[in-house]
C-alpha cells in the first residue's frame, strides 16, 4: 500500500519520518515554515540516503528515495495527502494552529498522525472537526533505526483509522505497541520522571553523569543510561515534554530540574549541538 | 611536541569509537560489520568539523570512508593546498 504522505516539521523527527517513508516508496511532502530548515533537512536526508547506499543498506523501494520528497513551506500543499504526520515542537500553542490548518486544508478522509512525546491526542484532536481521524504515533529517535513505535489511540479515534495506521507502519517497517491516550502515554510518563530524577541526583552530587549512566547500563542491562538518552532525545525536547506532563498531571514531580533548564539555556541541547550532559565534540 | 597528523586523528577516532585498538589502516570497517549507519553519519560529521572541510554527496563513496587510509586520502584531497 503506497500512500501520499505529508510530514509537518523538518526537525530531527520530521526528517527521520520523511526519510523512512520515502525509503519505503511513499511519495512524501515535507512542510516547514522555515526555508532554511527545509534546506538543512534536504541535505541531511540526501546525506543519510547516500550513506545507506554507500554501506549497501539501501532499504525498501527501488529508485532514489531522496527524489520522492518535495519540500514546501505551506500546509495547503497537503490537500491530496492520505495521511499527515505532524512533528512540530512539543508545545500546544505551536501545534494548535497546525491542527486547525490541517483540518482546513486536508481532504476529509486524510488521517492526522500526531508524533508527540506527551500531549494527549484527544487535546490535539479537539482542534479539528475530525477527531475520529486523529491518532498518535510516538516515533523514537533516530527514526530510521528504532524498530518499534508507540501507537496512541484516543477515545474518539475510529477502528478504521487504527487499522489504517497499523498497515501504514508495517509498510515502513515499524512494529508497534498500541496503548490508550493519556499525558506521556506509557513511554514518556515513565521515562521523563527517570531522566528528571537522574538529573536531580547529578545536581545533588550523588554521582557524576558517567556513574549515573553506568548504573543503568551495567547493573540493569540497559543499552543507554538516562542522561545519554536525554542527550540523544534533545534536552530542549526533554524540558518541553516535562512542562507538558507537569501541566497535564498538575504534579510537581515533573517540574524540570534546574540543571536541565540551565543546560538548555546555555544552548547545550545534547547530541544535536554536540554538548549536553556529555561532550560529543570528539 | 610532535604534530598530530590526519592519519593519527582519524585512527584514534575510529579505534576509540569502535573499540577496536588493533584496527589496521586499510581494514574495511564496513565489511568488518563494525559500523552502523548512525556511526557512519557521525564519522562524516567528525571529518567535516575536525578538518574544516565540506563533504559533498559525491564524496560519500565506500572507498572514501571504509578505512583509515581511505579517509586520509579524502581529507588530503579536500583540504585547501
Amino acid at each position: 500500500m503506497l500512500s501520499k504522505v505529508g510530514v509537518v516539521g523538518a526537525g530531527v523527527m520530521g526528517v527521520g519520518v520523511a526519510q523512512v517513508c520515502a525509503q519505503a516508496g511513499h511519495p512524501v511532502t515535507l512542510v516547514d515554515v522555515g526555508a532554511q530548515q527545509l534546506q538543512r533537512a534536504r541535505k541531511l536526508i540526501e546525506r543519510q540516503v547516500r550513506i545507506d547506499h554507500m554501506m549497501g543498506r539501501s532499504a525498501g523501494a527501488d529508485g532514489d528515495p531522496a527524489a520522492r520528497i518535495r519540500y514546501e513551506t505551506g500546509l495547503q500543499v497537503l490537500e491530496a495527502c492520505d495521511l499527515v504526520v505532524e512533528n512540530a515542537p512539543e508545545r500546544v500553542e505551536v501545534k494548535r494552529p497546525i491542527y486547525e490548518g490541517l483540518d482546513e486544508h486536508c481532504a476529509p478522509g486524510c488521517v492526522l498522525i500526531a508524533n508527540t512525546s506527551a500531549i494527549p491526542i484527544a487535546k490535539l484532536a479537539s482542534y479539528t472537526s475530525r477527531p475520529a481521524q486523529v491518532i498518535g504515533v510516538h516515533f523514537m529517535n533516530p527514526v530510521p533505526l528504532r524498530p518499534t513505535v508507540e501507537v496512541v489511540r484516543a477515545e474518539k479515534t475510529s477502528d478504521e483509522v487504527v487499522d489504517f495506521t497499523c498497515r501504514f507502519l508495517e509498510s515502513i517497517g515499524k512494529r508497534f505497541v498500541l496503548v490508550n491516550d493519556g499525558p506521556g502515554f506509557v513511554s514518556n510518563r515513565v521515562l521523563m520522571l527517570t531522566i528528571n530524577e537522574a538529573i536531580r541526583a547529578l545536581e545533588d552530587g550523588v554521582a557524576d553523569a558517567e556513574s549515573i549512566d553506568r548504573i543503568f547500563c551495567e547493573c540493569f542491562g540497559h543499552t543507554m543510561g538516562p542522561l545519554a538518552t536525554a542527550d540523544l532525545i534533545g534536552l530542549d525536547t526533554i524540558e518541553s515534554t516535562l512542562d507538558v506532563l507537569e501541566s497535564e498531571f498538575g504534579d510537581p514531580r515533573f517540574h524540570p530540574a534546574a540543571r536541565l533548564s540551565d543546560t538548555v539555556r546555555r544552548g547545550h541541547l545534547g547530541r544535536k549541538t554536540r554538548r549536553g550532559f556529555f561532550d560529543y565534540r570528539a | 611536541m610532535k604534530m598530530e597528523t590526519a592519519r593519527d586523528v582519524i585512527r584514534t577516532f575510529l579505534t576509540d569509537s569502535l573499540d577496536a585498538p588493533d584496527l589496521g589502516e586499510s581494514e574495511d570497517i564496513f565489511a568488518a560489520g563494525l559500523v552502523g549507519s548512525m556511526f557512519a553519519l557521525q564519522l562524516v560529521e567528525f571529518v567535516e568539523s575536525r578538518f574544516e572541510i565540506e563533504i559533498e554527496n559525491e564524496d560519500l563513496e565506500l572507498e572514501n570512508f571504509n578505512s583509515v587510509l581511505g579517509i586520509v586520502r579524502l581529507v588530503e584531497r579536500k583540504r585547501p593546498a
Side-chain angles (χ1 to χ4, degrees):
Chain A
M1 174 191 82
L2 285 184
S3 304
K4 292 194 195 78
V5 178
V7 177
V8 177
V12 174
M13 296 308 284
V15 163
V17 171
Q19 184 193 325
V20 295
C21 291
Q23 284 179 320
H26 299 290
V28 175
T29 305
L30 177 58
V31 172
D32 197 286
V33 283
Q36 228 176 355
Q37 186 78 354
L38 285 172
Q39 213 171 2
R40 200 190 126 267
R42 181 195 292 265
K43 190 177 167 193
L44 254 178
I45 291 171
E46 288 176 355
R47 170 167 286 192
Q48 192 63 62
V49 166
R50 284 291 293 232
I51 286 175
D52 286 350
H53 181 72
M54 173 174 91
M55 296 174 65
R57 294 183 187 185
S58 305
D62 293 340
D64 178 8
R68 275 192 281 273
I69 305 177
R70 281 169 61 196
Y71 298 84
E72 300 283 351
T73 51
L75 294 176
Q76 63 279 3
V77 297
L78 301 176
E79 61 186 358
C81 287
D82 301 307
L83 69 120
V84 173
V85 185
E86 172 275 312
N87 313 271
E90 193 65 0
R91 292 196 301 276
V92 171
E93 69 273 19
V94 177
K95 289 189 185 275
R96 180 176 184 152
I98 293 171
Y99 280 86
E100 290 166 349
L102 290 172
D103 195 36
E104 181 187 342
H105 294 295
C106 296
C110 178
V111 171
L112 304 181
I113 294 179
N115 181 13
T116 167
S117 307
I119 300 170
I121 304 308
K123 181 174 243 175
L124 299 172
S126 75
Y127 305 138
T128 74
S129 61
R130 57 177 98 186
Q133 298 285 109
V134 182
I135 188 166
V137 174
H138 180 201
F139 286 90
M140 308 293 154
N141 181 29
V143 178
L145 298 182
R146 296 281 178 243
T148 305
V149 300
E150 189 177 31
V151 174
V152 186
R153 174 185 197 140
E155 206 181 335
K156 292 184 181 165
T157 310
S158 74
D159 291 343
E160 292 74 22
V161 166
V162 174
D163 287 347
F164 173 86
T165 303
C166 293
R167 275 183 285 125
F168 165 68
L169 289 170
E170 280 163 5
S171 80
I172 61 169
K174 297 295 178 205
R175 298 194 297 261
F176 49 86
V177 179
L178 183 60
V179 304
N180 289 320
D181 199 11
F185 328 116
V186 173
S187 55
N188 279 333
R189 182 173 178 164
V190 178
L191 177 64
M192 290 299 141
L193 264 189
T194 308
I195 288 175
N196 208 31
E197 212 50 42
I199 300 167
R200 286 186 176 141
L202 180 68
E203 272 172 13
D204 291 349
V206 181
D208 61 22
E210 198 184 347
S211 303
I212 289 172
D213 274 17
R214 278 188 62 203
I215 301 279
F216 284 81
C217 297
E218 296 179 32
C219 301
F220 299 157
H222 293 192
T223 48
M224 199 183 273
L227 299 174
T229 303
D231 279 350
L232 179 63
I233 292 171
L235 302 186
D236 50 342
T237 302
I238 301 288
E239 188 185 36
S240 52
T241 305
L242 283 163
D243 285 337
V244 169
L245 289 167
E246 185 184 15
S247 101
E248 292 289 336
F249 281 116
D251 184 338
R253 287 185 306 168
F254 290 103
H255 187 73
R259 171 103 178 231
L260 172 65
S261 302
D262 287 349
T263 311
V264 171
R265 248 197 314 279
R266 288 206 306 273
H268 300 160
L269 309 181
R271 277 181 182 267
K272 61 186 167 187
T273 59
R274 297 172 192 259
R275 282 181 84 176
F277 291 110
F278 297 99
D279 195 327
Y280 303 91
R281 288 171 295 173
Chain B
M1 200 176 77
K2 189 169 163 272
M3 268 276 280
E4 207 181 19
T5 63
R7 186 179 296 228
D8 297 334
V9 170
I10 293 160
R11 189 161 196 290
T12 304
F13 179 73
L14 287 176
T15 51
D16 287 359
S17 308
L18 303 176
D19 197 18
D22 302 325
L23 184 73
E25 292 206 338
S26 46
E27 190 174 342
D28 186 333
I29 56 172
F30 297 139
L34 294 169
V35 171
S37 60
M38 191 167 160
F39 177 75
L41 181 62
Q42 282 169 22
L43 173 61
V44 173
E45 287 173 350
F46 170 77
V47 170
E48 280 189 320
S49 67
R50 184 66 179 71
F51 299 104
E52 296 177 346
I53 55 178
E54 187 163 351
I55 303 294
E56 314 287 343
N57 281 335
E58 299 76 60
D59 300 319
L60 295 172
E61 294 292 343
L62 199 59
E63 64 270 20
N64 291 335
F65 284 97
N66 68 348
S67 67
V68 175
L69 280 182
I71 302 169
V72 169
R73 280 195 288 264
L74 173 74
V75 168
E76 284 169 354
R77 211 165 52 239
K78 302 283 290 186
R79 262 177 167 173

